[in-house]
Amino acid sequence: VPIPGVTDRPLRDRYDVVIVGGGIQGIALGYELAKLGVTGIAVLDAAWPGAGASGRNGEMIRSAFSSVEWCRLFDHCLTRWHGLSAELDFNTLFTPAGYAVLAADEQEAQSLRDQLPRHRELGLRSEWLDAAGARAMIPAAAPELVQGALWQDHGGFAHHDAVLWGYARAAARAGVEIHADAAVEAIAVSAGRVEGVTVRGRRIATPLVVNAAGAFAREVAAMAGVALPTQRLLLEILVTESLQPFLRPAVASLALMGYCHQTSRGEFVGGTEWKAEHPSDEIGVTLEGLRDMASKWVRLFPQLAGVRVVRHWSGLVDQTPDLAPVLGPAPGVEGFVLDCGWIYGFMGAPAAELLARSIVDGRLDPIIEPFAVDRLYEGRLIEEGALAVPTEATT
Amino acid sequence: VSAIDPHGLRLPGGTPRVVPFTLDGREMAGVEGEPIAAALHAQGVRVLGRSFKYRRPRGLHCVADACPNCSMRVNGLPGVATCSIPLSAGDRVERQKGAPSAEHDVLGGMDRLSAFTPVGFQYRRFRRSPRLFHQWERVLARLAGAGRLPDPDVARAVAAPARFEALHTDVAVIGAGAAGLSAALAAARAGARVLLLERRDHTGGWLRAGGMPAERMVLADLERDVAAEPRIERRTESTAAGWYAEDVLAVTSARGLVELRAGAVVLATGAHERPLAFADNDRPGVMLAGGVERLLRGHGVRPGHRVVVVTAEDYGHVVAADLLAHGVTVAAVADARGVGGDAAAAVAGALHDGGVELLADARVRAASGRATVRGVVLERDGRPGREIACDTIAVANGRRPARELLLQRAASGGLQLALPAGLHAAAADPARAVVDGWWVAGAAGGAATVEEAVRGGGAAGAAAAAR
């Protein structure tokens, strides 16, 4: 199946920018750089665009988090999501059906309510729904798991393939070359400067390499002599057969450590985190994961019992100790930029605009500055507590 | 029985018990234990549901739980493959889509509007207004979504007991057709404990409702020997639904979930029939030839009154002869080939005597009819040619090995879905493993004859036991 925007031209001998990884982040960055007038951009993917986590995620979009850093970054993204289809001239199937983070007990409710003053301060749109309001919003959910919800009426979800295709088409139109089956095997660094990459045994010259390699970012960083303190983890998700609409908004449950939505095609899509660490180098699905997801989703939506699961997939992420992405130049290697460590890299795709501007201006945008890699080396972790994933604090 | 079975066919065995059930609230009657879809077909119900996007009518097609056509709501549970679920007294059967009914759907004309909703239309419409898009997709969701959620009491009953079993066996044989039976027997005789899994409610695979008398005798011998072998545990209505990274097989049945660990696996899952591409090949009345055979021989239900067989293999001729023998009119056999093989020649006399028109080098252009098939349109010089009236089109277009589980096992870890390199060697020599610990036998490995399947199953079973 041809993927929109992928070139069949041979690789050139030289590019001005080589982006390693044709996931949503790499392609969006290529598009944003081209928009700012950068030419000679190549996006290289080891398999095909979207083969990794960009085509294997939960598709959900929000901006209401607990930390200033996350709120700023993702609210910038959420605002842009609303205009993205128009800008890309391609309907990304973004559905602004709302996003609810459910509290199952008073402690969870309190932790979510505590975020509201910060959201007000930052001008971020969010509200608290009490138990009755949240249950009315999600009538199919078991009431005992819905004691209230942090609600964003302009959050939602999009179709991950459509988003990737939309960006890829727009990038290609702007002159970005997207190459499939082009694994980067080595990065040449000389006297602290990037000089080129090796693809299929062939040397390609470039002064600027961006590491947007998703799950394989640690290996790509190592090629340039940069150590990333990240860990590769496996995430799983299931899809049911198509059903008449029963769930409108995107829903995350802190108690279940899960996130789900129902697509307009009627499929229920939901993933859970069932162990704090599931290190893996391979994509595969586990029966333990399927049982965890099935039993939790039946707990939240009792009428899902007996519905057939039609797909179940997994994806890999390369996770940082604070679960936040790593954005900006890699210290010590001139011409090597990091755009990795994402676990919310799908909803964070529009942030590529900020990174692109930072690359062109040579100065980090204030919104992405806190996400520079130094924090990981210096132990200044970003404390974000509103994630539906297990962190050291919850396990 | 004749009151509810206008076709008047009988199956060997006990006296069928006629039981009442309802379709969309309407009183019906059927033979207890026959598939729900067969009971409906016997009563002339051709439209079982509507398609997902264009709401085109859907009818019985594969009779093998390999396509979504017969998916219906049964006793409050959506998405039930009615071609494979036995009828019980009092069953509540409902068509999942259509207003006021799947037969007379006011939105059935959606596919005539397909110029406005071509493939990929969703990526172009409403891209400038997410709000408008959201309203539009909420309308679409109502149209597109298939079944409703299960009834609350039904869901509670499904969820109530945590039925779960962990099993271990030396050799798991998946599929109890001729190859699987032979593999189980060989493995057990070599001293292994064998678990033989079959997703249908009977062993024997497609031979149960097909094949030559001599082949069915081979099958009967195998079934007798397997039943007498204490080291073989048979489980029917047990589906090996998936292979997982913990190196376990998930086996699902009405009894719950079995987490199966096997020292070795023999895959004998048979083959899927291939459909044929022609315009409107999804109309109710277009069926796969094997499905026609299962309906006819397995359940005593005639597929229709006047059949055209569209074929690219001898099997279509054999099915045509079978239809004639059961009193069904066969208008024509349209063979894509110029000359048939031995099996076609063997039934040529019977077809001739039965008034069946034999068409060689025939290409099918389209099925005609709207709600159900009214005829088949042949192609001549790249344009629509002659139309032959019929109410059923039986398609025999070869088979494709059922290797889904093998792909899961072999492709785990990588991004690319590729057949394992060892498959070719294993197909030539079933004693060789395809991937570590997995053997493949019978039609799943490419065996073309029952004899080959039995021989290959034996070799694979013995090799698996020796692991």
Side-chain angles (χ1 to χ4, degrees), chain B residues 3 90 95 107 195 208 261 290 320 373 418:
Chain B
R95 287 181 274 214
L107 291 164
L195 186 61
R208 184 54 79 98
R261 288 185 159 75
V373 164

Side-chain angles (χ1 to χ4, degrees), chain A residues 316-349:
Chain A
L316 296 170
V317 293
D318 199 29
Q319 185 172 293
T320 60
D322 60 7
L323 312 183
V326 173
L327 304 171
V333 185
E334 206 173 319
F336 191 52
V337 175
L338 302 171
D339 180 6
C340 51
W342 287 96
I343 59 168
Y344 287 78
F346 173 75
M347 75 162 107

Side-chain angles (χ1 to χ4, degrees), chain A residues 51 56 82 85-86 89-91 95 165 241-244 248 264-265 283 285-288 290-291 303 305 308, chain B residues 52 79 81 122-123 125 127-128 130 133-134 137-138 141-142 145-147 150 155 164 244-246 259 413 415:
Chain A
R56 301 165 178 276
H82 283 261
S85 296
D89 196 29
F90 190 84
N91 193 341
T95 297
W165 298 338
E241 64 186 322
S242 173
L243 295 158
Q244 282 289 313
R248 265 195 78 193
S264 56
R265 300 174 299 286
I283 286 176
V285 293
T286 64
L287 187 55
E288 200 179 350
L290 180 60
R291 290 179 65 194
Q303 276 178 270
R308 291 208 211 192
Chain B
F52 186 71
Q122 62 268 42
Y123 307 120
R125 299 257 187 281
R127 57 193 184 276
R128 310 233 158 253
F133 165 68
H134 186 43
E137 75 172 345
R138 288 183 72 189
R142 291 267 161 224
F164 174 73
Y244 292 87
E246 303 100 319
E259 187 178 308
L415 284 172

Side-chain angles (χ1 to χ4, degrees), chain B residues 66-84:
Chain B
C67 79
N69 272 26
C70 67
S71 181
M72 301 177 86
R73 187 178 188 89
V74 177
N75 298 328
L77 205 60
V80 174
T82 52
C83 77
S84 302

